[in-house]
Amino acid sequence: MTTATARAHPNIALVKYWGKRDEELMLPAAGSLSLTLDAYATTTTVSLDPSATEDRFVLGGAAATPGQTVQVTRFLDLVRARAGSAARADSSAHAVVDSRNEAPTGAGLASSASGFAALAVAAAAAYGLDLDRTELSRLARRGSGSATRSLVAGLGIWHAGDDDASSFAEPIEGPEMSMVIVTVDPGQKKVSSREGMRRTAATSPYYSGWVDSTARSLEEMSAACRAGDFTRVGEITESNALRMHAAIEACEPPIRYLRSTSVAVFDAVEQLRTRGIEAYATADAGPNVVVISRPAEAEAVAEHLADHGDVRIVGAGPGAHLIPTEESA
Ligand code: PMV
């Protein structure tokens, strides 16, 4: 196959990934756990073009920036190297990558996760590689850490691993939950997660505490998931997110992803709990807040938070997968 199309969804981490042990291999400092969503898909078509002299990356119908194109080329180089060692025809061909995001890029809704997960699946197929989910998860990791988890449907755990082979995501059982995404600011984030992670590791006095406590939170979270304990899952989610932001805010120069509008959502969620509605908040490297709740209470949570921004209820979605190329047109 020289053209392939894949679809992937972003995921929201309940135990966050923030910090790398190995930048080249993209090995994380600690494992993480997330829910792959059923919304905000990325659909990506990779078409090999043996006559082209460079890769082309079209994002949302327009030529991507040179920086974005370099990232895609580096990723395709990994796929080409693999296809070359598997002696595939066309293994050195350049490609046209056409990608569409249903979520605003860079707003902290993890379009890098769905983007690289879709690219991994489409590129592997276009270059003729037959990879299983674990291998695709490892490949997606090289593009963006959070993409590792978007290969998995629903709840997925990304094992930190010791090396390239052992650092991948796999499914984990857990309680049913909905997520209410509260978009308080749809703009681009100011500091990329790559730069934010580097700065946190290099300058935050809380970085080692963050890494150690995340490894413990992941163990506790896995146990709570397996036990179907929604309350404990929610409690760990909220404290893990606040610990991540505390470590980030302690950088020099400081980085603050949360705005006052974000903190107001955390306050409103606490208020919901005092009224007996179990909801717990988390936030990635941006100002938007994601609130987890039991599915039956998601509407009430969304209604309570509607004054704070755009609200959207989402649930568990599929892992990254191939689709017929015509469907993307
Ligand atoms: O892999 P990246 O660059 O998308 O970083 C993801 C970082 C967070 O979204 C903040 C946390 C996470 O685990 O998804």
Side-chain angles (χ1 to χ4, degrees):
M1 199 192 295
T2 55
T3 294
T5 301
R7 185 166 291 150
H9 293 81
N11 63 77
I12 298 291
L14 308 179
V15 173
K16 307 284 189 200
Y17 148 60
W18 194 260
K20 297 176 179 61
R21 195 153 43 92
D22 182 325
E23 287 236 6
E24 174 61 26
L25 288 176
M26 299 283 275
L27 300 176
S32 54
L33 189 147
S34 65
L35 184 77
T36 298
L37 308 182
D38 58 0
Y40 302 125
T42 298
T43 306
T44 299
T45 299
V46 175
S47 312
L48 305 200
D49 181 357
S51 63
T53 53
E54 58 188 13
D55 298 315
R56 275 208 307 128
F57 180 27
V58 180
L59 183 59
T65 64
Q68 289 167 328
T69 306
V70 166
Q71 278 191 317
V72 163
T73 286
R74 278 199 196 125
F75 189 82
L76 291 178
D77 285 343
L78 295 170
V79 179
R80 285 187 279 252
R82 234 176 127 157
S85 54
R88 296 282 164 197
D90 282 347
S91 67
S92 60
H94 291 287
V96 180
V97 174
D98 189 328
S99 191
R100 280 165 207 280
N101 282 322
E102 286 167 27
T105 300
L109 285 171
S111 47
S112 69
S114 53
F116 279 105
L119 181 59
V121 173
Y127 282 94
L129 294 172
D130 184 18
L131 306 184
D132 65 18
R133 189 189 58 215
T134 298
E135 290 171 305
L136 288 167
S137 172
R138 286 169 48 202
L139 177 61
R141 191 192 77 231
R142 304 292 294 275
S144 159
S146 56
T148 312
R149 300 180 309 236
S150 276
L151 267 295
V152 172
L155 289 172
I157 179 168
W158 173 15
H159 304 288
D162 303 318
D163 54 13
D164 173 46
S166 53
S167 188
F168 59 87
E170 63 181 352
I172 182 168
E173 288 298 311
E176 289 260 316
M177 68 181 86
S178 293
M179 288 187 162
V180 180
I181 299 180
V182 188
T183 306
V184 301
D185 176 357
Q188 291 276 120
K189 62 186 164 197
K190 293 194 177 61
V191 181
S192 70
S193 47
R194 195 174 289 249
E195 162 60 17
M197 286 183 202
R198 269 190 202 137
R199 203 185 299 174
T200 309
T203 71
S204 175
Y206 307 143
Y207 182 66
S208 60
W210 154 252
V211 172
D212 293 348
S213 79
T214 297
R216 285 196 303 277
S217 298
L218 184 64
E219 273 179 36
E220 243 205 290
M221 178 64 94
S222 307
C225 280
R226 291 196 186 93
D229 185 346
F230 175 80
T231 301
R232 200 58 203 128
V233 166
E235 289 169 351
I236 299 168
T237 297
E238 193 166 301
S239 75
N240 181 260
L242 292 173
R243 284 174 182 177
M244 180 185 80
H245 286 281
I248 293 170
E249 290 179 6
C251 283
E252 201 179 314
I255 303 170
R256 282 190 304 120
Y257 289 116
L258 300 180
R259 316 307 318 171
S260 52
T261 45
S262 327
V263 176
V265 178
F266 277 76
D267 285 348
V269 164
E270 194 180 313
Q271 200 181 61
L272 274 169
R273 291 198 295 265
T274 64
R275 294 191 197 164
I277 295 186
E278 275 198 72
Y280 300 90
T282 184
D284 284 339
N288 300 319
V289 180
V290 177
V291 179
I292 67 172
S293 77
R294 296 183 200 275
E297 292 179 329
E299 285 287 349
V301 171
E303 216 167 284
H304 184 74
L305 300 175
D307 289 347
H308 294 269
D310 227 51
V311 293
R312 174 156 181 190
I313 301 173
V314 299
H321 55 280
L322 285 171
I323 58 169
T325 293
E326 310 79 73
E327 249 190 61
S328 66

